[in-house]
Amino acid sequence: MRLSKQFTKTRKNAPADEIARNAQLLIKAGFIHKEMAGVYAYLPLGLRVLENIKTIVREEMDNIGGQEVMMTTLQPRDIWEKTDRWDDKKVDNWFKTKLVNGTELGVGLTHEEPIVDALSDYVNSYKDLPIYIYQIQSKFRNELRAKSGLLRGREFTMKDMYTLARTQKEHEEVYEVVAAAYHRVYERLGIGDVTYRTAADGGIFTERFSDEFQTVSEIGEDTIYLHEAKRIAVNEEVYTDENLARLGLKKEELVAKKAVEVGNIFPLESKYTDALGVYYIDENGDKQSIIMGCYGIGISRIMGVLAELFADDRGLVWPENIAPYRAIITRLGDNESTVKVADKLYEDLKKAGITTLYDDRDARAGEKFADADLIGIPHRIVVSDKLVASDMFEYKQRTAQESEKLSYENLMNRFKL
Ligand code: ATP
Ligand code: MG
């Protein structure tokens, strides 16, 4: 992408009411546009980051046999009445709307009911199970307070997986398969070392815990008590002597930290399948309940978390696999030979499969360097009149202090990972 053609520009300031660092940086660097509190549009750079996060999650879900679907945002009332989740007194963050004829509809805030309802057409034998189904989509929640930028939105992107199993034992195996995939996701996102599986409230219809994945950060709304050696934690909401005993944890071995919930996996038992009348027939011809689990990952929240964690006083510092582009060519000077060398490098990097932003704008060197840092591209290559005269390139990693002068060959070798 040539920066001279990209419609977004970096800006000096974020909106005054935007106090979270992730939103400030992402707005200043032109990744997102604030539509209203808790509602953000993704601009070209931001969309590329969001897609990179989705790709990692999608690969790990596909790896464990996940089958991707796209559910609907508009929801019919009846299926939610069957599970008693339609009433605003039961679920307080619904957005609802109406058809012209007055029929009330819900705006999808989660999708257990519609997924189970759709599966009733396909699941009836023990041979149909277990299954893993997932979606990566916008969810809408009328949050009392939208805050912390991308961390708590009213419209946000979530990956949700729903598993259906034949028995409690099979469910537990499936649940651990998904939990292991979650660890791989956070590892690949570069937050594996600060993300802990955390025992949390299981909701109203199970005695079991749910498991949150909590990333330690000062911006977090949750307090967790973590066991560094065991790499597990307990959410404050279930931090009681009785629960610690259940988990085999001792108070004095735990430390309190602020953390962001980046994922949450739940045992649902047969609450939704029973309520919606979806059963299976076992080997003996008997009707049996289906045991379900659901598994969310906050895709857009994670983008916010990464922007919080991977940044310095000059701007964003994206990990290589998340960055909107891996390299940026900063061209200084517009001698014919300089333009030619920079253009050729741009084509060569593209051919080598390295996504590249090409700063071909007519702007001051200081402005170009500041923008490259703010946007947070991992590899910066300077092509200038002076460098071209000596047949060299200046190369610097976003995380490095110093730049180096490299020949064309040595430069290209830096990208052979
Ligand atoms: P929270 O406790 O933070 O309100 P939740 O427990 O209601 O979240 P889940 O229904 O478990 O959320 O959703 C799965 C995941 O989606 C969460 O772990 C979180 O990462 C993300 N998520 C939930 N609500 C939001 C939101 N309002 N904005 C952005 N991401 C969200
Ligand atoms: Mg949750």
Side-chain angles (χ1 to χ4, degrees):
M1 181 69 204
R2 284 175 184 262
L3 261 184
S4 63
K5 301 263 160 39
Q6 181 156 287
F7 75 83
T8 58
K9 294 182 178 57
T10 59
R11 40 188 278 194
K12 288 267 173 304
N13 299 305
D17 60 341
E18 197 64 86
I19 49 171
R21 171 155 128 139
N22 69 87
Q24 282 185 353
L25 284 171
L26 292 168
I27 291 171
K28 282 202 274 187
F31 284 61
I32 58 173
H33 170 76
K34 185 173 191 172
E35 207 70 54
M36 60 183 112
V39 182
Y40 298 87
Y42 290 79
L43 304 176
L45 292 169
L47 185 59
R48 292 180 71 94
V49 168
L50 198 71
E51 291 300 322
N52 287 341
I53 296 169
K54 285 186 199 172
T55 298
I56 290 173
V57 172
R58 186 174 274 128
E59 284 175 5
E60 295 300 335
M61 296 304 111
D62 288 346
N63 248 331
I64 56 171
Q67 305 179 55
E68 189 171 359
V69 295
M70 188 160 97
M71 302 305 290
T72 66
T73 294
L74 296 179
Q75 289 294 316
R77 171 180 179 153
D78 61 321
I79 54 175
W80 297 85
E81 278 179 333
K82 287 185 186 159
T83 59
D84 201 20
R85 292 214 290 180
W86 176 258
D87 194 331
D88 290 336
K89 289 189 206 79
K90 293 283 164 49
V91 174
D92 63 5
N93 56 0
W94 267 113
F95 281 108
K96 288 176 181 168
T97 186
K98 278 197 182 87
L99 293 179
V100 178
N101 71 11
T103 304
E104 262 197 303
L105 300 178
V107 178
L109 80 175
T110 182
H111 286 89
E112 285 83 6
E113 283 80 348
I115 203 91
V116 171
D117 189 52
L119 285 172
S120 66
D121 291 342
Y122 302 103
V123 173
N124 38 53
S125 153
Y126 66 96
K127 291 180 194 150
D128 299 329
L129 300 171
I131 42 179
Y132 302 65
I133 301 168
Y134 74 98
Q135 53 161 185
I136 301 179
Q137 283 180 246
S138 293
K139 306 260 170 170
F140 300 84
R141 293 184 184 177
N142 204 346
E143 302 276 358
L144 186 58
R145 250 175 239 99
K147 56 177 183 184
S148 311
L150 293 187
L151 270 49
R152 183 169 298 286
R154 296 197 167 100
E155 172 176 345
F156 60 96
T157 308
M158 194 206 288
K159 187 284 304 178
D160 218 355
M161 180 176 258
Y162 306 99
T163 62
L164 282 74
R166 285 169 285 209
T167 59
Q168 183 58 35
K169 182 169 174 290
E170 184 171 71
H171 162 77
E172 279 162 23
E173 286 162 14
V174 163
Y175 190 83
E176 289 308 318
V177 166
V178 184
Y182 269 45
H183 281 297
R184 287 194 292 277
V185 165
Y186 300 121
E187 207 55 58
R188 288 178 66 184
L189 291 169
I191 53 174
D193 54 337
V194 285
T195 301
Y196 294 81
R197 181 168 171 169
T198 304
D201 190 25
I204 39 174
F205 46 83
T206 175
E207 288 299 300
R208 292 165 209 279
F209 295 116
S210 78
D211 292 277
E212 293 173 342
F213 290 81
Q214 292 274 3
T215 303
V216 172
S217 165
E218 271 311 309
I219 198 178
E221 290 177 31
D222 293 1
T223 299
I224 61 167
Y225 293 84
L226 66 89
H227 192 294
E228 197 51 77
K230 292 188 177 166
R231 295 210 55 80
I232 55 171
V234 186
N235 192 311
E236 187 177 39
E237 67 190 15
V238 295
Y239 183 73
T240 62
D241 289 331
E242 190 194 338
N243 282 336
L244 289 181
R246 246 173 98 187
L247 292 160
L249 293 171
K250 292 200 187 78
K251 240 182 194 155
E252 55 277 13
E253 292 171 350
L254 306 177
V255 283
K257 296 271 183 193
K258 283 278 166 211
V260 182
E261 182 194 317
V262 290
N264 198 182
I265 65 178
F266 278 89
L268 300 176
E269 309 199 342
S270 59
K271 149 134 177 149
Y272 295 100
T273 43
D274 286 351
L276 288 154
V278 184
Y279 300 93
Y280 77 95
I281 306 298
D282 70 14
E283 291 91 328
N284 305 318
D286 295 328
K287 187 169 137 185
Q288 301 287 356
S289 282
I290 296 176
I291 312 300
M292 200 170 158
C294 76
Y295 314 80
I297 290 188
I299 301 282
S300 50
R301 179 178 285 185
I302 283 173
M303 179 165 159
V305 169
L306 297 181
E308 290 286 331
L309 296 180
F310 301 122
D312 62 16
D313 52 3
R314 287 177 287 134
L316 297 154
V317 188
W318 297 110
E320 184 109 18
N321 56 346
I322 307 295
Y325 293 91
R326 283 176 67 196
I328 182 165
I329 300 170
T330 303
R331 194 186 76 205
L332 306 177
D334 48 16
N335 279 352
E336 203 181 307
S337 53
T338 308
V339 173
K340 222 170 118 185
V341 168
D343 283 0
K344 180 176 177 298
L345 178 64
Y346 180 49
E347 292 306 321
D348 289 351
L349 287 171
K350 268 203 284 191
K351 269 186 228 138
I354 295 144
T355 54
T356 303
L357 204 53
Y358 179 10
D359 193 349
D360 60 341
R361 296 174 303 170
D362 182 15
R364 286 179 306 107
E367 192 181 330
K368 290 190 171 199
F369 289 141
D371 281 354
D373 282 349
L374 177 59
I375 295 170
I377 305 297
H379 306 273
R380 187 190 76 192
I381 306 154
V382 179
V383 178
S384 68
D385 297 345
K386 217 169 127 195
L387 285 157
V388 168
S390 61
D391 220 7
M392 296 296 262
F393 297 85
E394 191 190 283
Y395 169 82
K396 185 182 168 301
Q397 283 188 23
R398 178 65 178 81
T399 48
Q401 292 301 324
E402 303 291 329
S403 63
E404 323 166 51
K405 287 210 170 51
L406 297 175
S407 67
Y408 176 82
E409 250 171 27
N410 286 338
L411 175 68
M412 293 308 273
N413 278 335
R414 292 302 164 101
F415 293 98
K416 293 200 180 108
L417 293 175

